Amino acid sequence: MTRLSGWGRTPVAECRVRKARSEADVARAVAEGPMIARGNGRSYGDPAMSPGLTLDMRGMDRFLAFDAETGILVTEAGALLSDVIETFLPRGWFPFVTPGTKFVTIGGAIAADVHGKNHHGDGSFRACVEWVDVMEADGSVTRVTQDDDTGRFGTICGAMGLSGVILRAAIRLRPVESAWIVQETIPVQTVEAAVDAFEARLDVPYSVAWIDCSSGPPTLGRSLVMLGRHARADELPTSKRKAPFKVARPRKLAVPVDFPSFALNRLSVRAFNALYYRMGARNAGETLVDWDRYFYPLDAISGWNRIYGRRGFYQFQCALPLPTAREGLERLLTDISATGLASFLSVLKRFGPDDSPLSFPCEGYTLALDFPAGARSLALLERLDRITLEHGGRFYLAKDARMTGETARAADPRLAAFRDLRQARGWAGHFVSHQSERLGL
Amino acid sequence: MSRSVLILGAASGMARAIARSFAAEGHAIRLAARDPERLKDDRDDLVTRYGVEVTLHPFDALDLASHAGFVAGLPDLPEVVVCAVGTMGTQEENAADPEAGAMVMRANFEGPASILGHLANAMEARGSGTIVGISSVAGERGRASNYVYGSAKAGFTAFLSGLRNRLAKKGVHVVTVLPGFVNTAMTEGLDLPARLTAEPEEVGAAVLKAVTSRRNVVYVRPIWRIVMAVIRAIPEPVFKKTSL
Ligand SMILES: Cc1cc2nc3c(=O)[nH]c(=O)nc-3n(C[C@H](O)[C@H](O)[C@H](O)COP(=O)(O)OP(=O)(O)OC[C@H]3O[C@@H](n4cnc5c(N)ncnc54)[C@H](O)[C@@H]3O)c2cc1C
Ligand SMILES: NC(=O)c1ccc[n+]([C@@H]2O[C@H](COP(=O)([O-])OP(=O)(O)OC[C@H]3O[C@@H](n4cnc5c(N)ncnc54)[C@H](OP(=O)(O)O)[C@@H]3O)[C@@H](O)[C@H]2O)c1
């Protein structure tokens, strides 16, 4: 037995874990009964932990083919996105969609159908998935293409491993001319202004806002809106133009021990947020930043999740539909700033239209933030759940560690249909996670 | 001079990581295992990642008569050979059934020593090359919990040490790798202490470094050097009563 948790380090459970190194290993695990696939454990709660067997997919990490004409990579599901970048960025290719950490597996990215800063223009991860090989409950393997007319593709992307094990996938990469991003920072004083900034700049490929959640009215939701696009080779200063894909490797910082929980109090968070805002505002306007700093600022600090101490932390992420987004965001931020509970990293993004059967995004805004585990946070999270429901929003399963099944189903009627489908197809008996049990999926 | 790297027992978790380390340096890779069909995905991975030439070769360590022909049939005499062949079985089985125990000894000692003997002679004649044997700390002192496997590795370690001595002035270098615990199929399901357990990638990096800097004996995690020094130093009257 192994003690497992997600990235938020709560909840923790003793799990029976095995590593898959081949398709045969996966077949054996599926045949044995209730199991769930685990990628790199970067989801926050309990979706990659099973009361049955937890199958670690990291042993299946081989790249099987790459077509330099189309940019299509065939890879096993346990390969990391960081590996994809390391191998293909020097050849002029970057992931088409990437979450805020590069340490996710391809299987995990598909299972959660992750989104990046370009969702408003490019959609979620499944947009770049040409096909997946999935192991079904009976051990057979099906190749499911994006345009498959049985609807199977839509029951894999965003299904959190609950409809089969992804063995391999073909993903399309994006051609880029450099490893650099032209970033534009716009400081704004309120969340209202942040939304205005997003709406005015929907043509920019990447956008995200960092929100200072400790700031109350009149600067409720004061933010740095950060826009970005891949730099063309001819935009680079001559010093970089000779090797457009080369960036200096940053020195890796690490959080060596669990922080004692008192380290992260209201004051330190307030100070951090204020400082972050001031530094960002000073860099307002256009700058050139490398891909790693732009897409993955948190990855530079390995083990940053330990900053919340041994008890761990909760992440809250909801999506609010466009018509109710402004009001909903204001309500959420008012409550959060009034409680003064710590959230270092609060992120706001614009989602574009999305009509996938299971995935999290819907056209509107998504807010993500974290809170140290504890009773006060849990009470706040309940209130945030309620505000989200009142505004017709829904929740991201990849971040969830504590929701009730009732809340989940109220927010997302698609889940009840998915539960029925799981029964009908025999998935319910084979693919089981702590999250699926908690939410009654 | 040839720049290829031959990996024996290439389907093993450790071997996969070692192959990647050398392919990343641009070496052509020869993968050898009993069933080369199983190596196709590994070949595709190395080609896709590193753009190097990769060939597959059937190889059975226990089939001693085939070894000379195996070496002759390679596209070239490799610059580096890494032998990751081995089996552990279980101590209970190895103790209860001497025949099973003998198989473990053959797969960890006799077979590897035979094939490396052939390659050593060819490298000696050429006057260059590096031989890497994956042995084990289990061979440093026989313990009740694992002495059949341990004794085979002890034999293999002694063989590598002697080979290194013999070839030291002949331009051929021999590296003995004592990996400690490694998270591979061999140790699946065992309850291993995290601090003492390396990932296969660490072994890959350590082997590459050992070859380029011509190290003699490497422990992958330095802590093992201390652990084994302590275990070796325990006087036998005390040691025989321990359960390690
Ligand atoms: C710092 C940080 C930033 C993040 N930013 C974003 C972001 O911007 N956008 C976003 O969308 N997400 C984001 N995430 C969440 C993360 O991208 C997802 O949780 C992702 O699924 C994690 O991938 P993983 O390989 O670690 O999977 P795990 O966490 O191990 O598993 C996640 C789910 O995928 C399933 N799964 C994994 N592999 C397979 C497989 N082979 N077959 C079937 N099912 C499988 C598991 O069963 C589980 O349900 C962030 C996470 C962190 C830690
Ligand atoms: N894992 C550890 O903790 C650990 C610690 C110290 C040393 N080691 C040693 O490290 C080496 C690699 O082991 P591993 O941990 O990676 O485990 P592994 O995956 O079980 O690898 C052992 C390999 O040896 C091959 N093999 C066995 N008998 C063979 C034969 N007769 N002919 C050809 N190949 C044969 C196997 O090939 P098939 O795939 O064809 O069966 C397999 O690929 C072994 O020598 C092992 O003893 C391991």
Side-chain angles (χ1 to χ4, degrees):
Chain A
M1 300 295 263
T2 310
R3 278 172 74 80
L4 278 188
S5 70
W7 186 245
R9 309 183 76 201
T10 185
V12 177
E14 293 283 336
C15 298
R16 196 155 54 82
V17 181
R18 206 188 298 153
K19 197 159 186 168
R21 296 180 175 83
S22 64
E23 185 176 316
D25 290 346
V26 181
R28 210 168 308 127
V30 170
E32 279 173 25
M35 57 85 63
I36 199 73
R38 181 178 177 92
N40 204 32
R42 251 45 178 199
S43 51
Y44 282 70
D46 50 4
M49 296 150 63
S50 182
L53 176 72
T54 304
L55 190 66
D56 177 358
M57 297 297 290
R58 288 296 318 285
M60 293 181 68
D61 69 343
R62 291 170 292 195
F63 293 158
L64 301 175
F66 181 67
D67 182 338
E69 292 294 311
T70 57
I72 290 174
L73 169 68
V74 180
T75 173
E76 288 187 308
L80 292 177
L81 205 55
S82 56
D83 248 15
V84 173
I85 298 169
E86 191 178 318
T87 306
F88 296 103
L89 183 56
R91 305 185 207 173
W93 300 92
F94 197 75
F96 188 78
V97 168
T98 174
T101 172
K102 58 187 174 293
F103 300 119
V104 300
T105 63
I106 300 304
I110 297 170
D113 194 12
V114 299
H115 54 268
K117 300 174 181 179
N118 55 341
H119 186 276
H120 58 283
D122 293 326
S124 55
F125 198 82
R126 73 179 188 286
C128 72
V129 178
E130 300 283 316
W131 52 258
V132 293
D133 278 351
V134 61
M135 185 165 288
E136 313 280 0
D138 65 2
S140 64
V141 177
T142 322
R143 179 157 298 183
V144 188
T145 55
Q146 189 181 94
D147 55 14
D148 139 87
D149 47 23
T150 65
R152 180 71 173 113
F153 191 74
T155 62
I156 296 167
C157 304
M160 303 301 286
L162 299 173
S163 67
V165 180
I166 300 161
L167 301 171
R168 286 171 284 271
I171 60 170
R172 193 160 28 85
L173 306 180
R174 172 192 305 281
V176 294
E177 288 186 27
S178 80
W180 298 87
I181 301 292
V182 180
Q183 174 180 295
E184 182 186 347
T185 306
I186 311 171
V188 293
Q189 289 303 312
T190 61
V191 65
E192 187 71 28
V195 170
D196 289 339
F198 276 111
E199 296 300 323
R201 303 297 295 278
L202 286 177
D203 57 317
V204 182
Y206 299 109
S207 58
V208 64
W210 166 84
I211 297 201
D212 177 355
C213 273
S214 30
S215 173
T219 52
L220 181 73
R222 121 180 120 164
S223 313
L224 298 171
V225 179
M226 301 181 202
L227 308 175
R229 61 180 173 80
H230 292 281
R232 293 188 310 273
D234 63 17
E235 289 178 286
L236 300 179
T238 31
S239 61
K240 298 190 170 91
R241 213 172 298 166
K242 271 185 236 106
F245 296 109
K246 214 173 140 202
V247 298
R249 289 227 158 211
R251 214 171 335 134
K252 196 140 179 143
L253 303 172
V255 177
V257 289
D258 296 342
F259 271 43
S261 43
F262 62 78
L264 202 71
N265 58 31
R266 184 173 177 157
L267 277 178
S268 58
V269 170
R270 194 176 276 280
F272 171 87
N273 276 304
L275 186 69
Y276 191 94
Y277 182 82
R278 233 177 313 132
M279 304 257 292
R282 201 177 301 153
N283 289 327
E286 265 193 19
T287 45
L288 206 56
V289 298
D290 68 67
W291 61 275
D292 214 1
R293 260 184 60 204
Y294 182 77
F295 289 104
Y296 315 109
L298 286 172
D299 286 350
I301 312 165
S302 65
W304 67 261
N305 54 344
R306 305 178 73 165
I307 206 167
Y308 286 94
R310 208 176 282 284
R311 291 165 71 187
F313 62 106
Y314 294 112
Q315 164 102 181
F316 174 84
Q317 184 168 1
C318 67
L320 298 169
L322 209 45
T324 55
R326 283 175 196 264
E327 192 200 303
L329 288 171
E330 215 149 288
R331 289 268 314 275
L332 291 168
L333 290 169
T334 304
D335 203 338
I336 294 161
S337 68
T339 355
L341 275 166
S343 189
F344 270 125
L345 303 145
S346 314
V347 168
L348 180 68
K349 280 186 253 205
R350 171 70 152 85
F351 278 157
D354 202 305
D355 57 1
S356 97
L358 280 175
S359 308
F360 163 64
C362 68
E363 178 156 30
Y365 281 83
T366 180
L367 179 69
L369 21 81
D370 39 49
F371 302 101
R376 282 186 61 221
S377 292
L378 282 170
L380 171 63
L381 287 160
E382 298 271 321
R383 294 199 300 278
L384 302 183
D385 285 354
R386 220 167 316 127
I387 298 172
T388 305
L389 287 178
E390 282 164 24
H391 291 82
R394 61 187 182 221
F395 305 98
Y396 193 13
L397 295 184
K399 304 290 180 76
D400 157 59
R402 41 140 296 265
M403 229 190 324
T404 62
E406 203 182 356
T407 308
R409 281 190 299 276
D412 196 344
R414 302 174 306 175
L415 291 181
F418 182 54
R419 185 184 48 189
D420 295 345
L421 192 64
R422 271 172 50 75
Q423 294 294 342
R425 298 281 177 90
W427 299 333
H430 279 272
F431 309 114
V432 178
S433 65
H434 281 286
Q435 182 178 54
S436 75
E437 299 234 300
R438 177 167 50 80
L439 299 180
L441 294 178
Chain B
M1 200 205 300
S2 132
R3 299 261 298 141
S4 69
V5 175
L6 168 66
I7 316 266
L8 301 164
S12 93
M14 241 183 262
R16 186 190 293 179
I18 294 168
R20 280 184 180 170
S21 294
F22 282 98
E25 298 294 305
H27 292 275
I29 306 288
R30 319 272 171 235
L31 301 176
R34 283 183 285 199
D35 176 11
E37 265 309 292
R38 283 181 51 207
L39 298 174
K40 283 185 166 164
D41 286 349
D42 294 285
R43 175 192 61 199
D44 293 347
D45 180 59
L46 295 171
V47 171
T48 306
R49 281 176 194 257
Y50 308 110
V52 295
E53 180 209 333
V54 181
T55 52
L56 307 183
H57 309 274
F59 169 71
D60 186 347
L62 297 177
D63 184 4
L64 304 186
S66 71
H67 290 182
F70 171 81
V71 175
L74 290 170
D76 48 25
L77 181 62
E79 183 59 28
V80 178
V81 54
V82 180
C83 180
V85 172
T87 52
M88 192 153 65
T90 65
Q91 171 63 28
E92 298 78 66
E93 198 187 336
N94 296 341
D97 175 4
E99 243 174 83
M103 285 303 284
V104 168
M105 295 180 196
R106 293 187 58 208
N108 286 291
F109 180 22
E110 185 186 83
S114 161
I115 185 66
L116 293 185
H118 283 284
L119 286 157
N121 294 345
M123 286 179 171
E124 180 182 18
R126 183 179 62 187
S128 73
T130 303
I131 293 168
V132 181
I134 312 286
S135 193
S136 173
V137 294
E140 304 280 277
R141 192 163 192 179
R143 293 165 297 126
S145 60
N146 204 11
Y147 67 87
V148 175
Y149 173 77
S151 66
K153 289 297 194 188
F156 189 44
T157 298
F159 177 85
L160 292 168
S161 153
L163 198 60
R164 177 163 44 245
N165 188 201
R166 173 189 137 197
L167 298 173
K169 295 195 192 74
K170 303 291 175 67
V172 179
H173 182 60
V174 178
V175 181
T176 308
V177 183
L178 306 172
F181 300 136
V182 186
N183 194 356
T184 66
M186 191 176 270
T187 53
E188 184 80 60
L190 301 181
D191 203 8
L192 301 177
R195 279 197 65 198
L196 294 176
T197 307
E199 289 304 316
E201 291 70 33
E202 293 176 61
V203 184
V207 168
L208 176 65
K209 192 166 154 230
V211 168
T212 44
S213 54
R214 296 179 84 79
R215 300 274 303 278
N216 298 314
V217 180
V218 292
Y219 293 82
V220 172
R221 291 210 167 177
I223 186 169
W224 274 103
R225 199 175 280 278
I226 301 160
V227 172
M228 292 321 295
V230 171
I231 289 180
R232 275 193 309 263
I234 301 172
E236 194 62 24
V238 179
F239 190 77
K240 74 177 183 190
K241 295 191 190 120
T242 61
S243 51
L244 284 167

